[in-house]
Amino acid sequence: MWQRLQADAVLKAVGLTAPARQLTELMALNRLVHPCSELAMVDWAKREAVSDVLGVDTERLNEDKFYRNMDQLHGRRLEIERELYARDKSLFNLEGSLVLYDLTNTYFEGEAVGTPKARRGHSKELRTDCKLVAMGLMLDADGFPIGHEVYAGNTIDSTTVKTMLDGLEARTGREGGSLVVMDRGFASEANLKLVRDRHYDYLMAGFQQQRSALAKEFEALDGWQELQPSAMKVPVQIKRIERDDEAFLLCVSPARAEKERAIRERQEKKLIKDLDALVQAVAKDRDRGEPMTDRDLGVRIGRLRERYPRAARYYEVERQQDGDLVWTVKAELKARAVDLDGAYFLRTSRKDLGPEEIWRTYIALTQIESAFRDLKGTLDMRPIYHQKEIRVETHVFLAVLAYHLQVMIERTLKEAGEHTSWEVLREQLSTHQVVTTLLPAADGRTLAIRRGSVPDRRVGEIYRLLKLDPEPMEPIRTWL
């Protein structure tokens, strides 16, 4: 019950001019069930207090109505996100000077033949058996969603930066002036130039392959300082340097070194096993008089490089004149990699930032990782069952809107000194129920009184902090 009231109240609070009732209905259902299972949504609505709180006749609800509402909302996505973020800035005094951006993907159940964006790609959830759709999400420094974009499932992260900047300007009305923070997947030289040409600053992690160019700086003993983040068990060593028009932050983390070493050694063990098997296969084909073609061999080697990227870069594979396949270790390159385990670097166009400020600003990207977990977990963005592309996009849009409400609730409580996650809040609020009391009358009829239960002290406190009515519905009396 509380989820429905809260969605309606928050939308009214932000002064949204979009079809609020349709939006509220869909968002409330999106919160608790799979938003793409329309039959399940209808059954759920009839079991719960939707009709009592929203005044919706659930007996007339059917999956077609949900489809039609989704189709109407599809064209209003940009407008709604723009108005919501404008109101967020006003309500919570947000600066908007920092933009966090990252990309994730989620998977379909079914073939999704009516969705051109449903493609096979690198699943971040390891669902290699399913088609995917990708989502780019923009957050501000406080974790509020600015906007999102939906891409084909095989989209490469680095190709989305222009679209992200276009979407940022369409939702905020600003052209330049913000610091854009992204991970290493976006850090191509072309993207760095693009960000600067659009009058933004950037802060990104550099590619691992570029660490060697900074090896002397990493090896130098002077200029380092220790940073002890509260969320980390071990400190991070950081060092700031400048080159041309950029500032670089060199970072060394023992925990990261251990992780990188373990990943490389695990991949290396599997790679050697597969290389030996390939050597034997090439020799066997040659002895049978059916030598493997260079094209087929190249494909198989390419697959090994894709499968074991952390280890394959340190191995050379070539076919000799007699047809044998041999592999060798690039000893110097591998030794350099071992020396740089745990070392990474950040680069930014903001040369005015100090070393700790650079590091802490980049670490803000963990807010997007947390957002992706919530979207795919508690907000049920995955999996996707829709077949039509506009409904796939609206499905993602509804999940982002639900997350928007989550952030607003958590921020409102935080400002009141209440540090509680939405997942915990939902559990606590589930005790507030709608109950029906049956009273038999002398004439043989029965009076049914349907009303909300009395919220317990904890639920009442949450309502008070959120400025919500603890009695969201008037008692409903019906003679049976």
Side-chain angles (χ1 to χ4, degrees):
M1 179 182 71
W2 183 85
Q3 286 87 352
R4 263 66 66 199
L5 170 67
Q6 172 214 269
D8 199 30
V10 174
L11 287 169
K12 289 177 181 177
V14 299
L16 193 64
T17 58
R21 178 165 295 281
Q22 296 169 352
L23 187 60
T24 305
E25 292 174 19
L26 284 169
M27 289 183 61
L29 298 178
N30 179 77
R31 172 61 188 84
L32 294 179
V33 298
H34 288 298
C36 295
S37 179
E38 282 68 30
L39 289 173
M41 292 168 72
V42 173
D43 293 340
W44 176 86
K46 292 179 179 179
R47 291 195 310 269
E48 298 292 333
V50 174
S51 60
D52 304 314
V53 178
L54 294 180
V56 176
D57 183 3
T58 55
E59 294 303 317
R60 301 176 61 184
L61 282 178
N62 56 61
E63 63 270 25
D64 290 335
K65 181 174 182 179
F66 286 105
Y67 278 136
R68 288 195 298 272
N69 283 348
M70 292 181 74
D71 294 346
Q72 291 181 35
L73 285 171
H74 182 264
R76 308 293 295 276
R77 294 170 299 155
L78 176 59
E79 174 190 351
I80 292 171
E81 286 190 323
R82 182 173 60 239
E83 292 189 30
L84 275 175
Y85 187 63
R87 185 54 62 97
D88 286 344
K89 292 185 67 175
S90 175
L91 288 174
F92 296 100
N93 298 317
L94 307 178
E95 293 184 3
S97 58
L98 187 72
V99 178
L100 310 173
Y101 178 66
D102 204 353
L103 208 71
T104 191
N105 53 42
T106 190
Y107 60 92
F108 288 85
E109 292 289 358
E111 289 301 314
V113 293
T115 304
K117 289 182 179 178
R119 303 287 183 86
R120 296 192 181 275
H122 176 66
S123 172
K124 298 186 179 183
E125 301 166 278
L126 304 179
R127 287 303 302 265
T128 56
D129 57 321
C130 301
K131 289 183 178 179
L132 310 171
V133 67
M135 180 193 70
L137 181 64
M138 293 178 285
L139 303 182
D140 70 3
D142 295 277
F144 281 85
I146 301 172
H148 78 287
E149 301 290 344
V150 179
Y151 303 99
N154 60 351
T155 298
I156 299 172
D157 292 5
S158 61
T159 64
T160 66
V161 173
K162 181 182 182 302
T163 305
M164 179 271 293
L165 294 176
D166 292 340
L168 175 63
E169 293 173 358
R171 289 166 175 83
T172 64
R174 298 182 60 181
E175 295 184 4
S178 298
L179 174 61
V180 181
V181 184
M182 296 181 279
D183 214 339
R184 63 168 51 88
F186 304 92
S188 68
E189 294 299 328
N191 280 338
L192 299 182
K193 182 178 184 303
L194 173 63
V195 172
R196 276 192 151 168
D197 289 347
R198 297 281 289 266
H199 307 293
Y200 293 93
D201 285 299
Y202 58 81
L203 171 54
M204 304 183 189
F207 292 125
Q208 280 190 318
Q209 299 90 322
Q210 297 172 325
R211 293 181 303 177
S212 296
L214 299 167
K216 291 183 179 180
E217 296 287 355
F218 274 112
E219 293 168 359
L221 299 179
D222 61 321
W224 293 92
Q225 69 181 73
E226 185 174 281
L227 184 65
Q228 178 67 68
S230 58
M232 299 177 67
K233 296 181 180 179
V234 293
V236 176
Q237 302 293 325
I238 60 174
K239 175 181 178 181
R240 185 185 182 282
I241 63 173
E242 291 186 8
R243 287 191 176 181
D244 300 326
D245 55 355
E246 289 182 298
F248 291 79
L249 187 70
L250 313 185
C251 310
V252 177
S253 165
R256 187 183 181 113
E258 185 177 345
K259 180 180 178 181
E260 288 183 357
R261 188 176 301 112
I263 292 174
R264 186 181 61 253
E265 290 176 352
R266 185 166 59 248
Q267 287 195 5
E268 194 169 29
K269 183 177 180 181
K270 294 179 180 179
L271 173 64
I272 291 175
K273 181 180 178 181
D274 288 351
L275 283 175
D276 287 340
L278 182 57
V279 168
Q280 294 177 17
V282 170
K284 185 176 180 180
D285 287 352
R286 183 200 58 194
D287 294 343
R288 289 189 310 181
E290 299 176 357
M292 188 179 300
T293 66
D294 289 341
R295 181 181 180 280
D296 289 343
L297 180 59
V299 169
R300 294 184 65 169
I301 293 174
R303 287 175 180 168
L304 292 180
R305 294 191 183 282
E306 290 178 359
R307 194 176 305 160
Y308 310 115
R310 294 288 187 92
R313 69 186 67 165
Y314 311 119
Y315 285 79
E316 186 74 39
V317 184
E318 61 180 349
R319 175 179 259 173
Q320 297 182 322
Q321 290 185 351
D322 60 3
D324 283 339
L325 187 70
V326 296
W327 57 264
T328 55
V329 180
K330 300 177 182 178
E332 184 176 348
L333 187 62
K334 182 181 176 182
R336 178 59 59 88
V338 171
D339 290 339
L340 291 175
D341 276 342
Y344 61 100
F345 71 95
L346 312 177
R347 58 193 304 183
T348 179
S349 57
R350 287 282 303 273
K351 296 177 69 174
D352 60 308
L353 298 180
E356 187 169 340
E357 193 173 5
I358 293 174
W359 193 86
R360 294 196 183 280
T361 302
Y362 175 75
I363 291 301
L365 274 177
T366 56
Q367 293 186 76
I368 288 197
E369 296 174 6
S370 177
F372 288 157
R373 285 194 297 271
D374 287 340
L375 284 165
K376 296 177 182 181
T378 56
L379 298 179
D380 284 334
M381 189 176 77
R382 65 178 177 188
I384 298 176
Y385 295 93
H386 286 295
Q387 298 298 308
K388 290 187 177 181
E389 189 157 286
I390 66 170
R391 289 173 185 160
V392 171
E393 293 180 348
T394 308
H395 166 97
V396 176
F397 173 55
L398 289 172
V400 173
L401 283 180
Y403 181 71
H404 197 110
L405 289 174
Q406 174 182 319
V407 174
M408 293 182 71
I409 293 164
E410 291 177 341
R411 174 61 179 264
T412 301
L413 293 175
K414 183 179 180 181
E415 290 186 348
E418 180 71 46
H419 297 266
T420 307
S421 69
W422 166 244
E423 195 167 6
V424 173
L425 284 172
R426 180 183 173 220
E427 176 107 14
Q428 295 170 339
L429 292 165
S430 66
T431 61
H432 195 187
Q433 303 288 327
V434 173
V435 298
T436 301
T437 303
L438 301 178
L439 301 175
D443 60 2
R445 295 186 299 164
T446 300
L447 176 63
I449 303 177
R450 188 161 171 81
R451 63 179 301 165
S453 63
V454 177
D456 63 27
R457 185 173 65 179
R458 173 56 180 161
V459 172
E461 176 66 7
I462 295 170
Y463 285 156
R464 185 187 69 79
L465 294 175
L466 293 174
K467 297 182 173 61
L468 296 177
D469 186 354
E471 298 181 6
M473 60 177 285
E474 295 292 331
I476 302 172
R477 295 175 173 83
T478 306
W479 284 100
L480 303 179

